[in-house]
Coordinates of all heavy atoms in Angstrom, one line a residue:
R1 N 0.9 -1.2 0.0 CA 0.0 0.0 0.0 C 0.9 1.2 0.0 O 2.1 1.1 0.2 CB -1.0 0.0 1.2 CG -0.3 -0.2 2.5 CD -1.4 -0.4 3.6 NE -0.9 -0.6 4.9 CZ -1.5 -1.3 5.8 NH1 -2.6 -2.0 5.5 NH2 -1.0 -1.4 7.1
D2 N 0.3 2.4 -0.2 CA 1.0 3.6 -0.4 C 2.2 3.5 -1.3 O 3.3 3.9 -1.1 CB 1.5 4.1 1.0 CG 0.4 4.4 2.0 OD1 -0.7 4.7 1.5 OD2 0.7 4.4 3.2
E3 N 1.9 2.9 -2.4 CA 3.0 2.6 -3.4 C 3.3 3.8 -4.3 O 2.4 4.5 -4.6 CB 2.6 1.3 -4.2 CG 1.4 1.5 -5.1 CD 1.1 0.2 -5.9 OE1 0.7 -0.7 -5.3 OE2 1.4 0.3 -7.1
E4 N 4.5 3.9 -4.6 CA 4.9 4.9 -5.6 C 6.2 4.4 -6.3 O 7.0 3.7 -5.7 CB 5.2 6.3 -5.0 CG 6.1 6.3 -3.8 CD 6.3 7.6 -3.1 OE1 6.3 8.6 -3.8 OE2 6.4 7.7 -1.9
G5 N 6.4 4.8 -7.5 CA 7.6 4.4 -8.2 C 7.9 5.3 -9.4 O 7.1 6.1 -9.9
V6 N 9.2 5.2 -9.9 CA 9.6 6.0 -11.0 C 10.6 5.3 -11.8 O 11.4 4.5 -11.2 CB 10.1 7.4 -10.4 CG1 11.4 7.1 -9.6 CG2 10.4 8.4 -11.6
F7 N 10.7 5.6 -13.1 CA 11.7 5.1 -13.9 C 12.5 6.2 -14.5 O 12.0 7.0 -15.3 CB 11.2 4.2 -15.1 CG 12.2 3.7 -16.1 CD1 13.1 2.8 -15.7 CD2 12.3 4.2 -17.4 CE1 14.1 2.3 -16.6 CE2 13.2 3.8 -18.2 CZ 14.2 2.9 -17.8
E8 N 13.7 6.4 -14.1 CA 14.6 7.5 -14.5 C 16.0 7.1 -14.6 O 16.5 6.2 -13.8 CB 14.5 8.7 -13.5 CG 13.2 9.4 -13.4 CD 13.2 10.6 -12.4 OE1 14.1 10.6 -11.5 OE2 12.3 11.4 -12.5
N9 N 16.7 7.6 -15.6 CA 18.1 7.3 -15.8 C 18.4 5.8 -15.9 O 19.4 5.3 -15.3 CB 19.0 8.0 -14.7 CG 18.8 9.5 -14.6 OD1 18.7 10.1 -15.7 ND2 18.7 10.0 -13.4
N10 N 17.5 5.1 -16.5 CA 17.6 3.7 -16.7 C 17.6 2.9 -15.4 O 18.3 1.9 -15.2 CB 18.9 3.3 -17.5 CG 18.7 1.9 -18.1 OD1 17.7 1.6 -18.8 ND2 19.7 1.1 -18.0
R11 N 16.9 3.5 -14.4 CA 16.8 2.8 -13.1 C 15.3 2.7 -12.7 O 14.5 3.6 -12.9 CB 17.5 3.6 -12.0 CG 19.0 3.7 -12.1 CD 19.6 4.3 -10.8 NE 19.4 3.4 -9.7 CZ 20.3 2.5 -9.4 NH1 21.4 2.3 -10.1 NH2 20.1 1.7 -8.3
V12 N 14.9 1.6 -12.1 CA 13.6 1.4 -11.5 C 13.8 1.6 -10.0 O 14.6 1.0 -9.4 CB 13.1 0.0 -11.8 CG1 11.8 -0.2 -11.0 CG2 12.9 -0.2 -13.3
T13 N 13.0 2.6 -9.5 CA 13.0 2.9 -8.1 C 11.6 3.0 -7.6 O 10.7 3.5 -8.2 CB 13.7 4.3 -7.9 OG1 15.0 4.3 -8.5 CG2 13.8 4.6 -6.4
C14 N 11.4 2.5 -6.4 CA 10.0 2.4 -5.8 C 10.0 2.5 -4.3 O 11.1 2.3 -3.7 CB 9.3 1.2 -6.3 SG 10.0 -0.3 -5.6
R15 N 8.9 2.8 -3.8 CA 8.7 2.9 -2.3 C 7.3 2.4 -2.0 O 6.3 2.7 -2.7 CB 8.8 4.3 -1.9 CG 8.7 4.5 -0.4 CD 8.9 6.0 0.0 NE 10.2 6.5 -0.3 CZ 10.5 7.4 -1.2 NH1 9.6 7.9 -2.0 NH2 11.8 7.8 -1.4
F16 N 7.1 1.5 -1.0 CA 5.8 1.0 -0.6 C 5.8 0.6 0.8 O 6.9 0.4 1.4 CB 5.4 -0.1 -1.5 CG 6.2 -1.3 -1.4 CD1 6.0 -2.4 -0.5 CD2 7.3 -1.5 -2.3 CE1 6.8 -3.5 -0.5 CE2 8.2 -2.6 -2.2 CZ 7.9 -3.6 -1.3
K17 N 4.6 0.4 1.4 CA 4.5 -0.2 2.7 C 3.8 -1.5 2.7 O 3.0 -1.7 1.8 CB 3.7 0.8 3.6 CG 4.4 2.1 3.9 CD 3.6 2.9 4.9 CE 4.1 4.3 5.1 NZ 3.7 5.2 3.9
R18 N 4.0 -2.4 3.6 CA 3.2 -3.6 3.8 C 3.2 -3.9 5.3 O 4.1 -3.5 6.1 CB 3.8 -4.8 3.0 CG 5.1 -5.3 3.4 CD 5.5 -6.5 2.7 NE 5.1 -7.7 3.4 CZ 5.2 -8.9 2.9 NH1 5.5 -9.1 1.7 NH2 4.8 -10.0 3.6
P19 N 2.1 -4.5 5.8 CA 1.9 -4.7 7.2 C 3.0 -5.6 7.8 O 3.5 -6.5 7.1 CB 0.6 -5.4 7.3 CG -0.1 -5.1 6.0 CD 0.9 -5.0 5.0
V20 N 3.4 -5.3 9.0 CA 4.4 -6.1 9.7 C 3.8 -7.5 9.9 O 4.4 -8.5 9.6 CB 4.7 -5.5 11.1 CG1 5.6 -6.5 11.9 CG2 5.4 -4.2 10.9
Y21 N 2.5 -7.6 10.3 CA 1.9 -8.8 10.6 C 0.7 -9.0 9.7 O -0.1 -8.1 9.5 CB 1.5 -8.9 12.1 CG 0.6 -10.1 12.4 CD1 1.2 -11.4 12.5 CD2 -0.8 -10.0 12.5 CE1 0.4 -12.5 12.8 CE2 -1.6 -11.2 12.7 CZ -1.0 -12.4 12.9 OH -1.7 -13.5 13.1
V22 N 0.5 -10.2 9.2 CA -0.7 -10.5 8.4 C -1.2 -11.9 8.9 O -0.4 -12.7 9.4 CB -0.4 -10.7 6.9 CG1 0.0 -9.3 6.3 CG2 0.7 -11.7 6.6
P23 N -2.5 -12.2 8.8 CA -3.0 -13.5 9.2 C -2.2 -14.6 8.5 O -1.8 -14.4 7.3 CB -4.5 -13.4 8.8 CG -4.8 -12.0 8.8 CD -3.6 -11.3 8.3
R24 N -2.0 -15.7 9.1 CA -1.2 -16.7 8.6 C -1.6 -17.1 7.2 O -2.8 -17.4 6.9 CB -1.2 -18.0 9.5 CG -0.3 -19.1 9.0 CD -0.3 -20.2 10.0 NE 0.5 -21.3 9.6 CZ 1.8 -21.4 9.7 NH1 2.5 -20.4 10.2 NH2 2.5 -22.4 9.2
E25 N -0.7 -17.0 6.2 CA -0.9 -17.4 4.9 C 0.4 -17.9 4.2 O 1.4 -17.2 4.5 CB -1.5 -16.3 4.1 CG -1.9 -16.7 2.6 CD -2.6 -15.5 1.9 OE1 -3.4 -14.8 2.5 OE2 -2.3 -15.4 0.7
E26 N 0.4 -18.9 3.4 CA 1.6 -19.4 2.9 C 2.4 -18.4 2.1 O 3.6 -18.4 2.1 CB 1.3 -20.7 2.0 CG 2.5 -21.3 1.4 CD 2.2 -22.5 0.5 OE1 1.0 -22.6 0.1 OE2 3.1 -23.2 0.1
T27 N 1.7 -17.6 1.3 CA 2.4 -16.7 0.3 C 2.8 -15.4 0.9 O 3.5 -14.6 0.3 CB 1.5 -16.5 -0.9 OG1 0.3 -15.8 -0.5 CG2 1.2 -17.8 -1.6
I28 N 2.4 -15.0 2.2 CA 2.8 -13.8 2.8 C 3.4 -14.0 4.1 O 2.7 -14.5 5.0 CB 1.5 -12.8 2.9 CG1 0.9 -12.6 1.6 CG2 2.0 -11.5 3.5 CD1 -0.4 -11.8 1.6
V29 N 4.7 -13.7 4.3 CA 5.3 -14.0 5.5 C 5.1 -13.0 6.6 O 4.6 -11.8 6.3 CB 6.9 -14.1 5.3 CG1 7.2 -15.1 4.3 CG2 7.5 -12.7 5.0
D30 N 5.3 -13.3 7.8 CA 5.2 -12.5 9.0 C 6.5 -11.7 9.2 O 7.5 -12.4 9.5 CB 4.8 -13.3 10.2 CG 4.5 -12.5 11.5 OD1 4.8 -11.2 11.4 OD2 4.1 -13.0 12.5
L31 N 6.5 -10.4 9.0 CA 7.8 -9.7 9.1 C 8.2 -9.4 10.6 O 9.3 -8.9 10.8 CB 7.6 -8.3 8.4 CG 7.5 -8.5 6.9 CD1 7.4 -7.1 6.2 CD2 8.7 -9.2 6.3
H32 N 7.3 -9.9 11.5 CA 7.8 -9.9 12.9 C 9.0 -10.8 13.1 O 9.9 -10.7 13.9 CB 6.7 -10.3 13.9 CG 5.8 -9.2 14.3 ND1 6.3 -8.1 15.0 CD2 4.5 -9.1 14.2 CE1 5.3 -7.3 15.3 NE2 4.2 -7.9 14.8
L33 N 9.0 -11.9 12.2 CA 10.0 -12.9 12.2 C 11.2 -12.4 11.4 O 11.1 -11.5 10.6 CB 9.5 -14.2 11.7 CG 8.2 -14.8 12.5 CD1 7.7 -16.0 11.8 CD2 8.6 -15.0 14.0
S34 N 12.3 -13.1 11.5 CA 13.5 -12.7 10.7 C 13.6 -13.7 9.5 O 13.4 -14.9 9.6 CB 14.8 -12.8 11.6 OG 14.7 -11.9 12.6
W35 N 14.1 -13.1 8.4 CA 14.2 -13.9 7.2 C 15.5 -13.5 6.5 O 16.0 -12.4 6.6 CB 13.0 -13.6 6.2 CG 11.7 -13.8 6.8 CD1 10.9 -12.9 7.5 CD2 10.9 -15.0 6.9 NE1 9.7 -13.4 8.0 CE2 9.7 -14.8 7.6 CE3 11.1 -16.3 6.3 CZ2 8.7 -15.7 7.8 CZ3 10.1 -17.3 6.5 CH2 9.0 -17.0 7.2
Y36 N 15.9 -14.4 5.6 CA 17.0 -14.1 4.7 C 16.4 -13.2 3.6 O 15.2 -13.5 3.1 CB 17.6 -15.3 4.0 CG 18.4 -16.2 5.0 CD1 17.9 -17.4 5.5 CD2 19.7 -15.7 5.4 CE1 18.7 -18.1 6.4 CE2 20.5 -16.5 6.3 CZ 19.9 -17.7 6.8 OH 20.7 -18.4 7.7
Y37 N 17.0 -12.2 3.1 CA 16.5 -11.4 2.1 C 17.2 -11.7 0.8 O 18.5 -11.8 0.7 CB 16.8 -9.9 2.4 CG 15.8 -9.3 3.4 CD1 15.0 -10.1 4.2 CD2 15.7 -7.9 3.5 CE1 14.2 -9.5 5.1 CE2 14.8 -7.3 4.3 CZ 14.0 -8.1 5.2 OH 13.1 -7.6 6.1
L38 N 16.4 -12.0 -0.3 CA 16.9 -12.3 -1.6 C 16.8 -11.0 -2.4 O 15.7 -10.4 -2.5 CB 16.1 -13.4 -2.2 CG 15.9 -14.7 -1.4 CD1 15.0 -15.7 -2.2 CD2 17.2 -15.3 -1.0
F39 N 17.8 -10.6 -3.1 CA 17.8 -9.4 -3.9 C 18.0 -9.8 -5.4 O 18.8 -10.5 -5.8 CB 19.0 -8.5 -3.5 CG 19.1 -8.4 -2.0 CD1 20.2 -8.8 -1.3 CD2 18.2 -7.7 -1.3 CE1 20.4 -8.7 0.0 CE2 18.3 -7.5 0.1 CZ 19.4 -8.0 0.7
A40 N 17.1 -9.2 -6.2 CA 17.1 -9.6 -7.6 C 16.5 -8.4 -8.5 O 15.8 -7.6 -8.0 CB 16.3 -10.8 -7.9
W41 N 16.9 -8.4 -9.7 CA 16.5 -7.4 -10.7 C 16.7 -8.0 -12.1 O 17.5 -8.9 -12.3 CB 17.2 -6.1 -10.5 CG 18.7 -6.1 -10.7 CD1 19.4 -5.8 -11.8 CD2 19.7 -6.6 -9.8 NE1 20.7 -6.0 -11.6 CE2 20.9 -6.5 -10.4 CE3 19.6 -7.1 -8.5 CZ2 22.1 -6.9 -9.8 CZ3 20.8 -7.5 -7.8 CH2 22.0 -7.4 -8.5
G42 N 16.0 -7.4 -13.1 CA 16.1 -7.9 -14.4 C 15.2 -7.2 -15.4 O 14.5 -6.3 -15.0
P43 N 15.2 -7.7 -16.6 CA 14.3 -7.0 -17.6 C 12.9 -7.5 -17.5 O 12.6 -8.5 -16.9 CB 14.9 -7.5 -19.0 CG 15.6 -8.9 -18.6 CD 16.1 -8.7 -17.2

């Protein structure tokens, strides 16, 4: 939510919020817990 983004100088940049906690669901993790972060980008 509260998403915004821009494409400038051949860069994709964005900003958004998501809830720390969501009801248990397989596809949405609970950010109260700690996770490894995977970083990726591409065409």
Side-chain angles (χ1 to χ4, degrees):
R1 54 192 180 208
D2 296 340
E3 63 180 73
E4 53 181 326
V6 66
F7 176 69
E8 290 180 343
N9 302 319
N10 202 48
R11 292 189 70 88
V12 173
T13 305
C14 66
R15 181 181 294 115
F16 62 90
K17 298 185 184 77
R18 63 174 268 171
V20 173
Y21 172 77
V22 294
R24 183 174 178 82
E25 182 176 323
E26 181 184 12
T27 62
I28 304 178
V29 303
D30 182 354
L31 293 177
H32 274 302
L33 304 176
S34 297
W35 305 90
Y36 291 104
Y37 281 18
L38 311 179
F39 312 115
W41 62 99

